Amino acid sequence: MINRRHIRLKVMQSVYAMQQSHTSDLLKEEKFLKFSIQKMYDLYVLNLQLLVEVQKYAAKKIELSKKKILATKEDLNPNIKFIENRLLAQIRDSVSLEGYLELNKLNNWDIEEEYVKIIWEELNSSKLYKDYMNSSEDSYHEDRIFVVNFFKEIIAPNEKLADYFEDTMISWVDDIPFVNTWIVKTLNKQKKENPFVLGQLYKDDQDKRFVSDLFNKVMLNHHKYEEDIKEKTPNWEADRIADIDMILIKMAITEFLHFSSIPSRVSINEYIELAKDYSTSKSGYFINGVLDKIAKDYTESNKMVKIGRGLL
C-alpha cells in the first residue's frame, strides 16, 4: 500500500506542476494527482501479472516442444516444476487480480508480449532458474522464495521493462522503486492456505483523505508562509531558494499548522528525506535548519498546536 512518504512525493510533484504551469485549477490538478496514484496501483498489478504471463509463456514452449517431429525424451517428459509453482498458481487464480485486470482493461502483456519473452529468456538462462529446477526440494516455501527472487533479480532490474513502464506513464519513474518493494512484501507474506488477494492502495480512509487535504491546504495557504520563511532565511532571496526546497518547506509548514496529529519532528524528517532524493545535495541541511526554527517559533507562540500522537 502507498505510505505517507510516497503520498507527500505525489503531492510535491502536483504542487510543482501547478506552479510551473501557472494554473489555478485546483480541481483539475487534484483529479490528476489522484489519477497518478491510482495508476501506480496499475503498475503494481501489471508486475504481478507479468510473473504469471512468464509462467504461461513457458508452458506454451513446453507444449510446442512436445509437438516437434523429432521431439527428444526431454521434450516429451519436461521438467514442469516452474509450471506448477504453487505461489504463481495462487496469483494466476486470484479473483481480485483477474477482476482488476478486466475492470481496468489492463491487457498490456497481450499487446506487448515481447517483454514477456524477454523476461522468460533471461530467467531461463539464469542460475536462479537452473538451481530451482534441479532442486530436489518440493515445497510451498521453496516456491515462494524462488518467485520472490525471480522478481527481485530478473524483473525489477530489467532496463527494457523499466523503459517500457516509463514510456507508458511518466510518473511511474518515481513509483517503480516503491512498487517493487511493495510487490516483494506482498509475495513474502503470502501463505499456502490463503487465496492471493491484491493489497490495498491506501492503508485506510484517513490516508486517502490525506492526499486531498495536504494538496489543497498547501495550494490555498502557501503564500501566507512566505513571510515566515523569509524571516528564517535572512541571507537568501526567495528566488535563490530552489523551487523544490521552497515547496517542501511550505508543505511541512502546512503540516505544522493544519495536521495536529502529525508530530512536527515527523514532518521535518519526512521532508528532509524527500529533499535528499529530489533536490540539491545541501537541501536536507537547509530545510532542516529552516523548519526547526519555524517549528520552535510556532510552538512558543501557540500557533502550532499538536494533539494526541502529535505531542510526541
Side-chain angles (χ1 to χ4, degrees), residues 26-121:
L26 269 178
L27 192 61
K28 181 181 178 181
E29 191 59 41
E30 182 188 350
K31 185 177 180 180
F32 182 78
L33 167 61
K34 291 179 178 179
F35 171 78
S36 173
I37 292 175
Q38 186 62 50
K39 292 301 289 183
M40 184 188 73
Y41 197 73
D42 287 0
L43 179 62
Y44 167 72
V45 172
L46 284 172
N47 272 284
L48 289 168
Q49 181 62 11
L50 181 57
L51 291 165
V52 173
E53 292 301 322
V54 172
Q55 187 192 50
K56 289 179 181 177
Y57 186 85
K60 287 180 185 177
K61 297 282 287 185
I62 286 176
E63 291 305 312
L64 288 172
S65 295
K66 286 181 179 180
K67 295 176 181 178
K68 289 193 300 189
I69 296 174
L70 299 175
T72 65
K73 183 179 179 181
E74 185 179 344
D75 290 332
L76 296 173
N77 296 284
N79 184 341
I80 57 173
K81 188 172 184 177
F82 176 59
I83 307 305
E84 295 186 342
N85 182 285
R86 298 166 182 85
L87 175 52
L88 292 179
Q90 287 177 317
I91 299 172
R92 183 188 65 228
D93 298 336
S94 171
V95 175
S96 66
L97 177 63
E98 183 180 359
Y100 189 88
L101 289 168
E102 290 183 3
L103 182 64
N104 295 278
K105 297 180 173 58
L106 294 181
N107 58 347
N108 298 54
W109 308 132
D110 292 333
I111 299 171
E112 306 287 355
E113 191 181 15
E114 64 181 287
Y115 293 99
V116 177
K117 182 181 178 182
I118 288 169
I119 297 299
W120 161 246
E121 290 178 347

Side-chain angles (χ1 to χ4, degrees), residues 259-271:
F259 294 85
S260 59
S261 64
I262 301 177
S264 57
R265 181 41 60 182
V266 168
S267 297
I268 293 172
N269 289 340
E270 287 292 294
Y271 290 109

Side-chain angles (χ1 to χ4, degrees), residues 223-268:
H223 291 300
K224 301 175 185 177
Y225 309 146
E226 291 176 0
E227 194 59 37
D228 291 339
I229 296 170
K230 186 177 180 180
E231 284 182 15
K232 299 300 178 289
T233 55
N235 298 321
W236 291 78
E237 294 295 331
D239 58 3
R240 288 185 58 211
I241 300 175
D243 290 342
I244 294 297
D245 290 2
M246 184 65 84
I247 289 170
L248 293 176
I249 291 169
K250 289 178 177 180
M251 287 176 68
I253 293 174
T254 301
E255 291 190 23
F256 289 168
L257 301 179
H258 297 280
F259 294 85
S260 59
S261 64
I262 301 177
S264 57
R265 181 41 60 182
V266 168
S267 297
I268 293 172

Side-chain angles (χ1 to χ4, degrees), residues 159-173:
E159 293 184 2
K160 290 182 180 178
L161 189 61
D163 289 342
Y164 167 70
F165 286 143
E166 183 177 346
D167 290 342
T168 303
M169 182 75 183
I170 187 62
S171 63
W172 281 352
V173 175

